[in-house]
Amino acid sequence: MPSLGLPIYGQKTALETRRWKSLDELEARTAAEPGEFPEGAAETPEGLSRRGFLQVLGASVALAGLQACKPPREKLVPYVRAPAAVTPSVPVAYATAASEEGYAVGLVVQAHEGRPVKIEGNRLHPASLGGSDAIRQALVLELYDPARLRGFTREGRALAWSALLQEIAALGREHDKDGGTRLRFLVAPTSSPTLGDLRRRVLERFPRARFDTWSATGEGAQRAGAAIAFGRPLDATYDVAKADVILSLDSDFLAVEGEHLRHAREFASRREGDRMNRLYVAEPRFSVTGGMADHRLRMRGLEVAAFARAVAAELAGAGLAGLGPLGAHGEGERVKVARAIAKDLAGARGRSLVLAGARQPPAVHALAAAMNEALGNVGTTVHWRAPVLLDPRAGADSLRELAGELAAGKIDTLVVTAWNALHTAPADLELRKAFGKVKNSMVLALREDETVRAASWRLAASHPLESWGDLRSRDGTVSIVQPLITPLYESATEIDLLAAFVGEGDRGAWRLVREGWRARSGAPPAPLPLAGAAAAANPVDTNRPRRPDPYDRTWDEWLAAGVLTESAGKPEQVAADLGAVGDALGKLPVPAGGIELGFAPDYKIWDGRLLENAWLQELPDPVTKLTWENAAHLSPATAKRLGLASGDLVELARGGRAVVAPVLIVPGHADDAVTVALGYGQQVAGPVGKGVGFDGYALRTSDAPWFAGGAELRKTGKRTDLAVTQGHFSMEGRAIALALDHEELGRAKAELDEHRGEAPTILEPVDYSDRTYKWGMAIDLSRCIGCGACTAACQAENNIPVVGKEQVLRSREMHWIRVDRYFEGPAEDPKSVTQPLACVHCEMAPCEYVCPVNATVHSDEGLNEMVYNRCVGTRYCSNNCPYKVRRFNFFDYHGDVAPTLQMLMNPDVTVRARGVMEKCTYCTQRIQRARIDARVGGKKIGPDEVVPACAQACPAEAITFGNLNDPRSRVSRKHGDARRYDLLHELGTRPRTAYLVKLRNPNPELA
């Protein structure tokens, strides 16, 4: 068995067996569940009772449903033969990747004895650079969700995998007769080379079949814009670190669009020092990227194109050849703004960047491409490459053709792997009606949804952490997707399913991926098995060839690193067709009057596929701090004009379609516009997502996928309570989350001195200078984008429960880290600053003085600790905490949970019961693990060796942790920075967490 990058299997059997105390209980359970031994499974041998058969076969095999039920699972390692690299209680990290709109995001997953528990970014991967976000952090909860779909059924009949393969083979023989004329595949975007090979082979067998690609939130507009500008679809990658001046045209590139994890890290690296970049953002809704802007320009979504043309006109006037025909001079105040931005961009030729957002039409993307070329940015901050997606033209056009064929009865078999197409399809296509006319509708999905319920074949999909596969990032870098655990439930991958259509469904995804990359890499074929005496000396291993295989070493290195070295594609030389760009701009519709309706993917549940994820539902929205539902976002001025307040229920209508939605007033939102987050209000939902939010897709049509005029809001006279975790966004003149213009920093030294240093106290401070370790943290507000990744990472690391909407409404949320957002200036057009806040581990902690049972104490290294066994729940400490960061367990949130959810728990962290206080511990379990490793190695803990979960997840590297007594540590340097200040310094609490002032870099011409 190789020593690098291999997943650990077998733990599921041991854990699941504990659920049944006796064989009698197991037998009763299997007899009661008709799906336990589905059609095609091995039958009980003649002459042997069912009980005797189970005793002979063993409970672990019975739990697996017999091997005949399963797709091939290679490299299974019974846990009685634990791999040498596994030490009980010591986590092991494995590299893998997850798909984001078909592109690879590199991950590193920590497993405890075969249980994936924590997800981090892969520092070696170009798309993540070690950072992650809330969605990636919450993937592990998706894995253990007990509501996942299980097994395979056809028209209600349970099928074993072998029986399913036989029926797919019979289906294939039927379509062989017409060459696949009546066979269609509706798939999600992907860059998987293995899936690409399988699709090619499927089309070779069924030449008249077709693959249609659909994603409700795809980035097809960018590739379509490149096709306008360059004559072919291309993918753009951006080197944000090299950009001195950035113009975002409704592009949320720091939070959701493109390689946003890398963008956030590179952008944050330029937000301090003398080389600060400058960011301009034009957008309708207040976004995470807009919150980081030096100049944010609010406008309706359909007005962004006109503003972009105004900037292009000013660039042409500044001497940039070719942009004149593309530009159009604006009017009013925006002329001044466009002129100043154009001057700034032109002054940074080759070091500037223009980005168009995924919600903007292809013509705006084409204009942005032309502007980047004229500015000399191509080859420095912008690189164009051939698309790595298998079908870069995915969108509503192909779905419209498919819907027409279904409605006309031209299709007998439809295989769906795209997520919940009946929910996400544009409303005008009426896909729900057409879907019922197909004879064989086969859906592969992770959990039951509207499309699964309407299908005749329901196939459970394996979770990415259970699957073998491969993906490419936007620059072409390849990652192998490897499983961390054997599938918890009977399921298959998309690779398994497509392989079944070419007669190789019994090979397994591992062999298809591994041997495919053997061929692509030019490695020699697998050696033949040994024979004779040599075979006797080498025990049979069905998972590996018995001769030495040089490819094994290469494969293991790929798995260990998470990337295939030197697999990125080379950038292409391009030249924009300015005439084509001008023609496309001329065809853009003129913005109509009235209220504009805009749609956006949700920051937490994306297009709705994560609706059942309780961690994400309870995570506050990065901007509005709304939990557990979506809302219709309005500007203060528009809400006032319509006589609406937050929580009012309105009928939101457009084009004869209407939904009832709550109103949420958001500072900085564009006037005469409403924004709706997609993905909520699903007709088929599980215990978490049932009845949550309203369906924005019901108003979305194929001709206006992101912005549409003519929306109406009508009062219903009813109200609802919105579970918002932060209802007040003003600092009221207090020094809480500080922000300064870059040039003001030197002049503000005296003012900052009032908020740092030693404060008078009546108590004798403890001298920590002679201690080996003095733990502390620094949070750079100039880097923090407010995405909430730290909150999600803390929840995953520290077994923090969710409490539900009702308890959030009572301000009983349990997150140990909250990310506050404050607005400065007028509500119509404010600036913002975000501030992560957890326990700051005061040296003079007010919570410690009032605890009657000494449950909150101080360690000799300065940690404010909680002794759960002592806590009796008086909550005096919470009352005395000026930072309001302590959480009380009002209920037993960890009580009766499913066995699979018990597998989710981090064994290094105590699972708290009802009636105790909890709060940030600086991830003391990670400190202790580093201490143990240091003692074993006979050394001290390194200056930056301990990294808490929040700091490790942060894509912008805004959080720094370490030993303040070590001058080499980064946290020591941060505490000595000229921007450092202490929160509520005047109270004399001496917090160990210091903050660094947020810096802005405004254009003097627009100040």
Side-chain angles (χ1 to χ4, degrees):
M1 171 163 295
S3 59
L4 294 174
L6 292 178
I8 306 170
Y9 291 96
Q11 183 69 6
K12 178 231 179 180
T13 299
L15 287 173
E16 289 291 317
T17 303
R18 297 172 193 158
R19 294 174 58 186
W20 296 284
K21 299 182 177 65
S22 68
L23 196 59
D24 292 320
E25 185 177 353
L26 173 60
E27 185 175 2
R29 178 182 174 89
T30 54
E33 295 186 358
E36 186 71 14
F37 292 94
E39 180 182 333
E43 298 296 331
T44 304
E46 186 176 356
L48 188 65
S49 69
R50 180 181 178 88
R51 179 182 180 89
F53 176 61
L54 291 178
Q55 289 174 326
V56 172
L57 194 61
S60 62
V61 181
L63 282 168
L66 301 183
Q67 290 300 319
C69 303
K70 292 188 173 185
R73 306 296 186 198
E74 293 80 5
K75 304 170 69 58
L76 301 182
V77 182
Y79 205 66
V80 294
R81 292 164 44 205
V86 177
T87 303
S89 82
V90 177
V92 182
Y94 298 89
T96 184
S99 175
E100 183 177 67
E101 293 297 336
Y103 297 101
V105 178
L107 305 175
V108 173
V109 185
Q110 286 189 349
H112 286 264
E113 291 85 51
R115 294 183 296 115
V117 170
K118 186 67 172 60
I119 296 177
E120 310 292 354
N122 185 351
R123 288 189 174 274
L124 300 180
H125 198 276
S128 63
L129 300 182
S132 66
D133 58 12
I135 289 177
R136 248 51 58 180
Q137 290 291 328
L139 279 179
V140 69
L141 179 58
E142 295 281 294
L143 168 67
Y144 295 117
D145 184 359
R148 281 174 51 186
L149 204 60
R150 310 183 188 194
F152 317 111
T153 64
R154 180 181 182 181
E155 296 176 347
R157 289 186 296 115
L159 298 174
W161 178 248
S162 58
L164 177 63
L165 292 182
Q166 293 173 7
E167 301 213 9
I168 291 177
L171 201 61
R173 289 191 294 271
E174 291 182 16
H175 288 291
D176 282 333
K177 300 174 184 178
D178 63 1
T181 300
R182 303 178 71 83
L183 172 64
R184 295 291 182 268
F185 295 84
L186 181 59
V187 296
T190 185
S191 57
S192 167
T194 300
L195 284 175
D197 288 345
L198 288 171
R199 289 189 192 181
R200 174 183 54 78
R201 294 174 61 189
V202 168
L203 293 178
E204 286 176 354
R205 180 181 178 183
F206 309 108
R208 297 179 182 176
R210 190 177 71 240
F211 283 86
D212 294 313
T213 303
W214 168 246
S215 171
T217 53
E219 299 177 10
Q222 186 267 320
R223 291 183 291 275
I228 294 171
F230 308 123
R232 61 191 187 280
L234 295 172
D235 270 343
T237 56
Y238 304 109
D239 195 338
V240 177
K242 294 181 180 178
D244 293 343
V245 181
I246 305 171
L247 171 60
S248 166
L249 301 170
D250 191 26
S251 173
D252 201 357
F253 69 96
L254 295 180
V256 294
E257 294 184 16
E259 294 178 332
H260 55 91
L261 298 176
R262 179 174 59 81
H263 295 162
R265 182 147 300 185
E266 293 180 346
F267 177 81
S269 70
R270 295 289 307 275
R271 296 306 289 177
E272 55 183 320
D274 297 329
R275 294 183 61 249
M276 276 193 71
N277 56 20
R278 181 173 293 138
L279 174 61
Y280 303 92
V281 176
E283 62 182 10
R285 65 164 182 159
F286 204 110
S287 68
V288 167
T289 301
M292 296 299 293
D294 299 296
H295 293 281
R296 180 178 176 272
L297 315 165
R298 65 189 187 109
M299 59 188 69
R300 298 197 300 170
L302 294 174
E303 296 173 350
V304 172
F307 179 75
R309 298 190 70 179
V311 174
E314 297 297 335
L315 285 172
L320 271 68
L323 291 180
L326 307 182
H329 289 285
E331 299 178 355
E333 183 66 20
R334 288 183 183 169
V335 176
K336 175 186 174 182
V337 175
R339 185 174 298 121
I341 293 175
K343 181 179 177 180
D344 210 5
L345 289 169
R349 296 190 186 190
R351 307 183 318 279
S352 57
L353 181 59
V354 181
L355 304 98
R359 303 192 300 167
Q360 290 299 310
V364 177
H365 288 267
L367 177 58
M371 293 167 70
N372 279 318
E373 182 178 337
L375 287 164
N377 296 332
V378 178
T380 55
T381 61
V382 182
H383 304 277
W384 295 99
R385 292 180 172 86
V388 299
L389 293 184
L390 301 185
D391 185 3
R393 296 163 299 183
D397 290 340
S398 61
L399 194 62
R400 183 183 295 106
E401 182 180 357
L402 176 65
E405 292 176 332
L406 290 171
K410 296 180 178 180
I411 298 176
D412 286 343
T413 301
L414 175 63
V415 181
V416 181
T417 61
W419 180 75
N420 202 358
L422 297 192
H423 176 65
T424 61
D428 59 309
L429 300 186
E430 297 186 336
L431 189 61
R432 288 182 176 91
K433 294 181 180 179
F435 191 82
K437 297 183 177 182
V438 67
K439 178 181 177 182
N440 294 299
S441 51
M442 183 182 300
V443 178
L444 179 72
L446 190 67
R447 57 171 52 87
E448 186 175 18
D449 54 37
E450 186 177 350
T451 310
V452 171
R453 183 167 292 183
S456 54
W457 303 54
R458 304 178 184 182
L459 313 181
S462 298
H463 187 274
L465 296 181
E466 301 170 331
S467 307
W468 283 103
D470 51 7
L471 291 166
R472 291 184 182 271
S473 61
R474 282 172 171 78
D475 69 355
T477 299
V478 176
S479 294
I480 303 297
V481 179
Q482 66 165 328
L484 273 290
I485 192 171
T486 195
L488 299 176
Y489 310 115
E490 193 54 48
S491 59
T493 67
E494 187 175 357
I495 291 176
D496 294 320
L497 180 58
L498 291 190
F501 278 88
V502 294
E504 295 190 359
D506 56 351
R507 285 196 67 191
W510 174 72
R511 285 190 176 89
L512 290 168
V513 174
R514 189 179 190 277
E515 296 309 308
W517 280 105
R518 180 196 293 274
R520 295 183 198 98
S521 65
L528 295 174
L530 298 171
N538 291 270
V540 174
D541 184 347
T542 60
N543 296 321
R544 286 194 175 280
R546 285 170 282 160
R547 288 183 183 274
D549 188 351
Y551 179 58
D552 286 347
R553 187 180 187 88
T554 301
W555 174 255
D556 291 344
E557 289 174 352
W558 289 344
L559 293 181
V563 293
L564 274 64
T565 56
E566 300 181 359
S567 57
K570 295 187 179 298
E572 297 194 9
Q573 300 295 322
V574 295
D577 182 346
L578 300 180
V581 177
D583 290 343
L585 289 170
K587 296 177 182 178
L588 287 176
V590 177
I595 295 179
E596 175 187 273
L597 174 60
F599 303 97
D602 190 72
Y603 279 117
K604 303 181 297 177
I605 68 167
W606 193 239
D607 57 358
R609 69 186 63 206
L610 298 167
L611 184 76
E612 293 299 317
N613 195 301
W615 284 359
L616 296 175
Q617 285 280 14
E618 195 151 297
L619 182 71
D621 182 276
V623 176
T624 66
K625 305 305 173 185
L626 179 65
T627 67
W628 286 103
E629 62 187 307
N630 58 341
H633 296 181
L634 293 175
S635 72
T638 302
K640 182 178 180 180
R641 178 172 62 82
L642 298 176
L644 296 171
S646 290
D648 286 348
L649 291 174
V650 298
E651 185 181 68
L652 179 58
R654 173 187 171 258
R657 301 177 177 88
V659 296
V660 175
V663 166
L664 183 61
I665 299 175
V666 183
H669 196 281
D671 293 335
D672 297 321
V674 57
T675 299
V676 169
L678 298 170
Y680 293 86
Q682 297 181 28
Q683 293 183 11
V684 178
V688 174
K690 186 176 182 180
V692 173
F694 65 93
D695 183 10
Y697 287 113
L699 303 176
R700 198 184 191 208
T701 55
S702 57
D703 62 329
W706 295 111
F707 299 105
E712 299 180 15
L713 283 86
R714 295 186 284 267
K715 292 183 178 182
T716 65
K718 300 179 181 179
R719 286 185 52 81
T720 187
D721 293 325
L722 298 176
V724 177
T725 60
Q726 182 185 356
H728 192 77
F729 295 96
S730 172
M731 289 178 278
E732 303 297 338
R734 298 171 294 170
I736 298 176
L738 300 183
L740 294 170
D741 291 349
H742 181 260
E743 60 184 21
E744 296 176 347
L745 181 60
R747 300 193 297 269
K749 180 181 182 303
E751 180 182 349
L752 289 177
D753 284 342
E754 298 178 1
H755 303 289
R756 58 192 174 200
E758 295 185 359
T761 176
I762 61 174
L763 300 176
E764 183 68 25
V766 176
D767 183 9
Y768 292 94
S769 60
D770 60 343
R771 311 296 166 87
T772 304
Y773 305 113
K774 177 183 176 182
W775 304 110
M777 181 177 285
I779 300 178
D780 192 339
L781 300 184
S782 199
R783 284 175 169 265
C784 176
I785 63 174
C787 64
C790 55
T791 303
C794 177
Q795 184 161 27
E797 172 75 14
N798 293 293
N799 301 331
I800 299 173
V802 295
V803 300
K805 179 179 177 179
E806 180 182 350
Q807 296 301 308
V808 173
L809 284 169
R810 296 173 181 267
S811 298
R812 291 178 177 177
E813 63 272 12
M814 293 297 296
H815 292 133
W816 289 2
I817 301 177
R818 70 173 190 265
V819 183
D820 295 332
R821 177 175 294 277
Y822 296 100
F823 291 106
E824 300 175 348
E828 292 74 18
D829 193 13
K831 300 175 182 178
S832 81
V833 57
T834 57
Q835 183 182 56
L837 182 59
C839 175
V840 294
H841 290 264
C842 311
E843 290 185 3
M844 312 297 290
C847 57
E848 296 176 10
Y849 311 148
V850 295
C851 180
V853 293
N854 210 29
T856 175
V857 296
H858 230 70
S859 76
D860 60 355
E861 295 173 354
L863 295 182
N864 178 249
E865 298 178 334
M866 274 299 306
V867 183
Y868 298 129
N869 282 349
R870 292 181 185 169
C871 182
V872 296
T874 63
R875 289 172 283 167
Y876 295 162
C877 57
S878 179
N879 294 337
N880 221 39
C881 175
Y883 304 97
K884 299 305 172 189
V885 290
R886 305 177 74 87
R887 306 298 187 208
F888 184 68
N889 244 320
F890 280 91
F891 297 101
D892 187 9
Y893 302 114
H894 288 297
D896 187 18
V897 299
T900 53
L901 288 178
Q902 294 175 18
M903 297 170 68
L904 174 68
M905 301 300 177
N906 182 355
D908 287 343
V909 179
T910 303
V911 176
R912 285 80 56 190
R914 177 183 182 181
V916 301
M917 269 295 169
E918 17 181 308
K919 53 92 189 177
C920 166
T921 66
Y922 274 167
C923 283
T924 185
Q925 67 277 6
R926 296 194 176 195
I927 297 174
Q928 296 305 322
R929 188 170 294 282
R931 194 190 313 276
I932 292 170
D933 293 341
R935 287 173 178 170
V936 171
K939 59 184 180 64
K940 293 182 179 180
I941 301 175
D944 301 313
E945 184 176 344
V946 179
V947 183
C950 56
Q952 189 169 11
C954 180
E957 293 186 310
I959 303 175
T960 307
F961 182 82
N963 183 8
L964 291 172
N965 279 344
D966 190 335
R968 300 171 300 165
S969 67
R970 290 188 299 135
V971 72
S972 292
R973 296 194 296 272
K974 292 284 188 180
H975 272 242
D977 193 282
R979 294 186 288 131
R980 176 259 175 94
Y981 73 97
D982 295 333
L983 185 60
L984 302 183
H985 174 265
E986 64 275 11
L987 299 181
T989 58
R990 301 194 179 199
R992 282 285 180 86
T993 297
Y995 288 90
L996 276 68
V997 173
K998 177 177 181 176
L999 294 182
R1000 299 191 179 102
N1001 187 22
N1003 188 335
E1005 295 188 17
L1006 297 177

